[in-house]
Amino acid sequence: MRDFLLKRVLQAVGVVICISAITFFILNVVPGDPVRVMMGDMADQQTIEQVRHNMGLDKPVAEQYVNWFANMVRGDFGTSYTQNKSVASLMGKAFSVTAVLAGLAYVFALVFGLTIGVVSAVFHGKWVDRLLMAISIFGISAPAFWVAILIQIVFALNLKWFPLSGIKTAAAFVLPTIALGTRYAASIARVTRTSMLDVLGQDFMRTAEAKGLATPTIILVHGLRNALIPIITIAGTQLGEIFTGSILIESVFAIPGMGKLLLDAINARDLPLIEGGVMYIAIICVVVYLAVDILYAVVDPRIRLGGEVAE
């Protein structure tokens, strides 16, 4: 188990380093002068060259990358060209908003996804199953931004139950949470249903029923527990997707999170902010996938890790 953890951690670090290198070099060969964008059209060439020198942008790209990566490891992502503030502080403020939205959407997806999936499996083939799966198909197929606009029109503009945009009140998170979490809830529901159907037909489930155990105990303790591996896979990967896939939702609801921050940085060609945003996405995804791998071993010790059975 220790060797498995060490191997996965080293792989995660390698992935982060590769992504950082690719991101930095690609952004620095894209046409356009960020200094000229930052200084405006009125700045003369001498001033632009002086600013470029002060910012270290006249050094070789490889040297720039080494310096940037070394600073990033220490938590220093540089200074935003357009806002003249620390990238780390800007991302920290935006991430706190995104974390709340993503956390609420993830809880929403888990609660509704697991509930719908289990109920559909228990009532397999009946109208309840068909109705819930039809809703799940709709949830997976509908684009998140379309769902966001639709519920804005219905619940914010027409019914006026929730704010249209912004995050001034706690109620303002309700519609973005539903818009962001619907697709993931539908995916979890379908995977849960399929996995539960496989487990419900096993001999040990019939044995538990023959022993006279309560139905909720049979379904939740014996059934859902043994159906967790596929659910952990989809739920774990979706955690990373929710954290990194909220850009459109934040734009639709005018939420000042990481998505909006990254979009503004791209439009302004603010390289330090773009690089910091991309690394945020990369690190979130790598950490989530690493956690999913570890959960595999915790939930099912029979899984072979590196050629050896986990103990």
Side-chain angles (χ1 to χ4, degrees):
M1 184 66 176
R2 183 179 58 187
D3 293 339
F4 165 75
L5 291 177
L6 179 61
K7 179 181 178 181
R8 288 294 187 269
V9 169
L10 291 177
Q11 288 176 344
V13 172
V15 169
V16 170
I17 293 175
C18 290
I19 293 175
S20 70
I22 293 171
T23 300
F24 188 89
F25 285 106
I26 287 179
L27 289 177
N28 279 273
V29 299
V30 172
D33 187 349
V35 177
R36 187 173 294 278
V37 173
M38 179 178 61
M39 299 295 294
D41 297 333
M42 301 301 293
D44 59 82
Q45 187 62 32
Q46 183 178 357
T47 302
I48 291 175
E49 293 297 334
Q50 182 62 43
V51 172
R52 183 179 290 110
H53 175 74
N54 294 339
M55 297 174 66
L57 297 179
D58 57 346
K59 297 179 180 179
V61 176
E63 183 178 348
Q64 291 182 46
Y65 168 73
V66 172
N67 294 334
W68 171 76
F69 187 82
N71 291 331
M72 184 187 68
V73 171
R74 295 193 295 267
D76 180 9
F77 289 85
T79 303
S80 168
Y81 292 165
T82 56
Q83 302 189 45
N84 197 29
K85 295 180 180 179
S86 167
V87 170
S89 64
L90 291 173
M91 290 199 304
K93 184 178 180 180
F95 178 75
S96 64
V97 176
T98 297
V100 173
L101 175 59
L104 291 173
Y106 191 65
V107 172
F108 172 85
L110 281 178
V111 171
F112 281 89
L114 289 173
T115 301
I116 291 173
V118 171
V119 172
S120 294
V122 172
F123 293 95
H124 174 59
K126 299 182 180 180
W127 69 267
V128 175
D129 179 27
R130 291 193 291 269
L131 175 62
L132 292 178
M133 285 302 98
I135 296 174
S136 298
I137 292 174
F138 171 79
I140 293 175
S141 304
F145 72 89
W146 182 83
V147 174
I149 295 173
L150 180 64
I151 62 178
Q152 273 185 325
I153 294 174
V154 175
F155 297 103
L157 293 177
N158 293 339
L159 298 177
K160 301 186 184 302
W161 289 356
F162 301 101
L164 180 64
S165 61
I167 53 170
K168 294 182 179 180
T169 62
F173 280 100
V174 174
L175 296 185
T177 295
I178 296 173
L180 181 58
T182 296
R183 177 177 178 273
Y184 302 107
S187 298
I188 292 174
R190 291 182 64 80
V191 172
T192 301
R193 176 182 179 273
T194 301
S195 185
M196 282 292 295
L197 286 176
D198 291 339
V199 172
L200 291 176
Q202 299 295 323
D203 291 338
F204 67 86
M205 294 295 291
R206 288 188 285 270
T207 301
E209 186 176 358
K211 289 181 178 179
L213 297 178
T215 300
T217 301
I218 295 173
I219 294 173
L220 298 179
V221 176
H222 296 277
L224 186 58
R225 180 181 179 183
N226 287 278
L228 278 180
I229 290 296
I231 299 172
I232 288 175
T233 301
I234 187 70
T237 56
Q238 286 184 348
L239 176 59
E241 292 179 12
I242 286 179
F243 266 98
T244 61
S246 61
I247 294 177
L248 287 176
I249 300 302
E250 290 180 1
S251 299
V252 172
F253 288 94
I255 296 175
M258 284 297 300
K260 187 175 184 303
L261 183 70
L262 185 55
L263 280 179
D264 292 342
I266 292 173
N267 291 331
R269 204 173 187 274
D270 192 334
L271 294 187
L273 204 48
I274 296 173
E275 292 160 353
V278 172
M279 293 310 301
Y280 148 80
I281 294 174
I283 291 172
I284 288 290
C285 291
V286 168
V287 170
V288 167
Y289 293 140
L290 176 62
V292 170
D293 281 345
I294 295 174
L295 279 177
Y296 283 160
V298 173
V299 173
D300 191 351
R302 296 170 300 176
I303 295 177
R304 299 180 67 85
L305 307 175
E308 298 181 357
V309 177
E311 297 180 358

